[in-house]
Amino acid sequence: MTLEEITRVLGEGPAVSSYSHHGEDQQLNYADLTESGIRALFHDGRLGCVAADAFTGPQVRLDAAPR
């Protein structure tokens, strides 16, 4: 997914976004979506990973153990 697709689905824009510059191109590194409590990490402009904030984000489990 792209950042635009994510914001459309979640209904919120990023509070913080980080870009790196390569010559004249800029590349999105991550976007913090604070209302949802997640950080979306990008590779080549597409979603590569989602990290949940342990305090405010969605509760996640790994092999039935809370993380």
Side-chain angles (χ1 to χ4, degrees):
M1 297 178 84
T2 65
L3 179 57
E4 291 77 21
E5 291 169 327
I6 294 167
T7 58
R8 188 173 358 153
V9 169
L10 293 178
E12 70 174 290
V16 176
S17 297
S18 171
Y19 290 87
S20 57
H21 299 277
H22 304 282
E24 292 188 19
D25 296 329
Q26 71 175 4
Q27 188 172 11
L28 178 61
N29 297 320
Y30 69 84
D32 288 339
L33 299 143
T34 55
E35 290 178 38
S36 299
I38 61 172
R39 174 175 278 187
L41 297 116
F42 294 86
H43 179 70
D44 293 332
R46 310 284 298 172
L47 182 63
C49 180
V50 175
D53 184 300
F55 293 110
T56 63
Q59 299 300 300
V60 296
R61 295 183 175 273
L62 177 64
D63 290 331
R67 300 288 172 185

